[in-house]
């Protein structure tokens, strides 16, 4: 059988030692279709981002690129624009036939905090090969705000699976006919397309742009920071905005999205040819996101957008990304938003949980 491994089987992997950690894994780390990963006690400031490569360990490469070490034990600041490698508390001993994909958590992406997972022998970011045994590391590059971090903080997450679980377009169209995945016409082309909302039902606020010079953000402070200290509001009265090169924006999808309980999804970029910008794909969509059985009625996708070399006009309804749906190996025993701490069920345009409403 092929599919994404649900929470109850993740617990079994922890019990049998396929997933291990020091200190032991907290049950709160286990999500419906993924496991949150925790920062360890030291960060290595490195000269550049890197991958270990075939036959090499991350430790060996750190000897080549390390500039200095930062003790995180009592909290430490990771500076905007710098690159750090942090050993994670979790390590893997995956059985043959099991692989994994990692991604930044949603709140991490909304802070423009580039966080990717690397492994010994790895040749791709965020990909853990079939049967991998060894440690995990987070590469962290704060791009808009400096951040205060501590051991145990959870910036990224990992999803495990067996075999090919991705729905092709025919299967996706069938699923949409059975359970509507968006609240309008479904654009299905190598995944489920979603577009940007620049004509809100009320008012003219369509997004936020990160300010270039701000204070730091303590990632343990929830609902603490005034948005105006870190973000400029972006308004539109004509259904379009112009993206500035190098700027980071929080926007929202026009579509309200649903993830049925037997499925999970991942946000992926759309074709590069649509424009000189990137929609940052921060997180996984867990089973139950936006689904009525989990307290949702469709939830918008928050878009983390960075423009590249030239100013670019973004228009209402423009397709900017896609959702790749995957089958669960079996239905999870918990759903996103149903009795667990889910910050973004039923969301619209929303900053990360660190900012006051």
């Amino acid at each position: 059988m092929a599919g994404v491994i649900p929470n109850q089987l993740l617990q079994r992997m922890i019990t049998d030692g396929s997933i291990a950690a020091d200190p032991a894994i907290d049950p709160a780390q286990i999500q419906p279709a993924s496991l949150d990963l925790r920062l360890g006690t030291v960060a290595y400031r490195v000269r550049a981002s890197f991958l270990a490569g075939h036959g090499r360990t991350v430790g060996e490469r750190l000897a080549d690129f390390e500039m200095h070490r930062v003790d995180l034990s009592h909290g430490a600041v990771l500076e905007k624009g710098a690159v750090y490698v942090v050993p994670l508390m979790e390590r893997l001993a995956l059985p043959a036939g099991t692989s994994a994909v990692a991604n930044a958590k949603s709140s991490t992406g909304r802070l423009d905090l580039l966080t990717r997972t690397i492994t010994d022998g790895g040749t791709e970011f965020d990909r853990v090969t079939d049967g991998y045994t060894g440690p995990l590391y987070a590469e962290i590059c704060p791009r808009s705000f400096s951040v205060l971090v501590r051991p145990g903080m959870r910036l990224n997450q990992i999803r495990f699976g067996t075999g090919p679980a991705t729905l092709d377009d025919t299967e996706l169209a069938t699923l949409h006919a059975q359970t509507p995945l968006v609240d309008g016409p479904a654009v299905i082309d190598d995944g489920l397309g979603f577009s940007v909302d620049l004509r809100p039902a009320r008012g003219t606020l369509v997004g936020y742009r990160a300010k270039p010079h701000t204070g730091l953000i303590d990632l343990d402070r929830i609902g603490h920071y005034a948005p105006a200290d870190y973000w400029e509001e972006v308004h539109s009265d004509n259904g379009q905005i112009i993206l500035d090169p190098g700027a980071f924006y929080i926007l929202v999808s026009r579509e309200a999205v649903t993830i049925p309980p037997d499925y999970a999804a991942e946000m992926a970029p759309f074709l590069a040819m649509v424009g000189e910008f990137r929609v940052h794909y921060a997180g996984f969509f867990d089973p139950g996101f936006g689904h009525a059985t989990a307290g949702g009625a469709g939830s918008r996708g928050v878009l983390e957008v960075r423009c590249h070399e030239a100013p670019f006009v973004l228009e209402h309804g423009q397709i900017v990304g896609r959702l790749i749906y995957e089958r669960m190996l079996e239905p999870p025993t918990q759903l996103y938003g149903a009795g667990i701490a889910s910050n973004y069920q039923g969301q619209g345009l929303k900053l990360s949980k660190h900012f006051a409403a």
Side-chain angles (χ1 to χ4, degrees):
M1 293 180 62
V4 177
I5 295 174
N7 62 284
Q8 65 271 23
L9 299 185
L10 290 177
Q11 184 60 63
R12 188 179 303 171
M13 292 175 68
I14 294 166
T15 301
D16 70 21
S18 299
I19 305 170
D22 184 20
I25 289 172
D26 184 334
Q29 291 175 246
I30 303 174
Q31 305 301 322
S34 61
L35 177 75
D36 292 346
L37 299 173
R38 299 170 297 175
L39 300 182
T41 58
V42 63
Y44 298 87
R45 170 75 164 90
V46 293
R47 290 185 286 125
S49 173
F50 66 87
L51 290 163
H54 286 301
R56 304 287 302 275
T57 69
V58 174
E60 290 170 348
R61 304 310 304 275
L62 279 172
D64 298 331
F65 297 111
E66 178 187 346
M67 296 171 67
H68 63 87
R69 302 181 188 188
V70 181
D71 182 4
L72 305 183
S73 299
H74 303 289
V77 175
L78 304 186
E79 298 285 353
K80 173 182 170 181
V83 182
Y84 302 86
V85 173
V86 181
L88 298 171
M89 292 179 177
E90 290 73 31
R91 61 179 292 114
L92 304 177
L94 298 181
T98 300
S99 59
V101 179
N103 218 323
K105 290 178 65 65
S106 185
S107 294
T108 306
R110 296 179 200 210
L111 292 175
D112 199 20
L113 187 58
L114 180 63
T115 304
R116 302 185 288 193
T117 301
I118 56 178
T119 64
D120 290 346
T123 58
E124 294 181 275
F125 291 106
D126 288 332
R127 296 296 185 267
V128 181
T129 55
D130 185 331
Y132 174 77
T133 295
L136 298 171
Y137 300 82
E139 180 193 276
I140 303 170
C141 179
R143 294 193 292 183
S144 288
F145 314 112
S146 295
V147 294
L148 179 63
V149 301
R150 298 175 183 84
M153 283 185 169
R154 300 178 289 182
L155 304 189
N156 54 347
Q157 57 195 152
I158 190 166
R159 176 179 289 175
F160 300 88
T162 59
T166 300
L167 273 64
D168 62 27
D169 285 352
T170 300
E171 293 168 324
L172 197 55
T174 300
L175 178 61
H176 176 67
Q178 296 169 346
T179 304
L181 303 178
V182 292
D183 60 348
V187 177
I188 297 176
D189 182 9
D190 198 18
L192 179 68
F194 58 89
S195 61
V196 63
D197 184 6
L198 298 179
R199 292 189 183 275
R202 294 187 300 275
T204 60
L205 178 67
V206 297
Y208 299 90
R209 168 180 159 154
K211 291 184 174 182
H213 309 291
T214 68
L216 65 81
I217 294 174
D218 181 340
L219 298 185
D220 272 341
R221 292 184 178 269
I222 308 303
H224 176 78
Y225 295 98
D229 292 341
Y230 295 83
W231 302 93
E232 299 170 353
E233 291 187 350
V234 177
H235 291 264
S236 176
D237 55 11
N238 64 352
Q240 66 181 37
I241 59 174
I242 297 177
L243 303 176
D244 289 324
F248 177 72
Y249 298 83
I250 296 291
L251 305 173
V252 70
S253 71
R254 182 176 60 167
E255 299 82 7
V257 176
T258 294
I259 311 297
D262 290 353
Y263 297 86
E266 181 179 4
M267 192 183 294
F270 207 60
L271 293 175
M273 289 81 80
V274 300
E276 288 300 317
F277 65 93
R278 173 187 172 185
V279 175
H280 187 65
Y281 39 110
F284 299 131
F285 287 68
D286 272 309
F289 180 85
H291 197 267
T293 59
S299 293
R300 306 284 196 95
V302 166
L303 312 176
E304 298 125 12
V305 178
R306 180 176 294 280
C307 186
H308 295 322
E309 287 81 9
F312 185 80
V313 178
L314 195 58
E315 303 195 59
H316 177 72
Q318 183 170 344
I319 299 290
V320 293
R322 58 203 169 104
L323 282 180
I324 307 301
Y325 279 72
E326 301 170 295
R327 296 179 190 82
M328 298 298 296
L329 194 58
E330 61 182 60
T333 59
Q334 64 184 41
L335 295 176
Y336 186 90
I340 62 174
S342 304
N343 293 293
Y344 304 116
Q345 184 73 296
Q347 71 179 356
L349 177 65
K350 186 179 177 72
L351 295 172
S352 79
K353 62 186 179 181
H354 307 91
F355 296 95

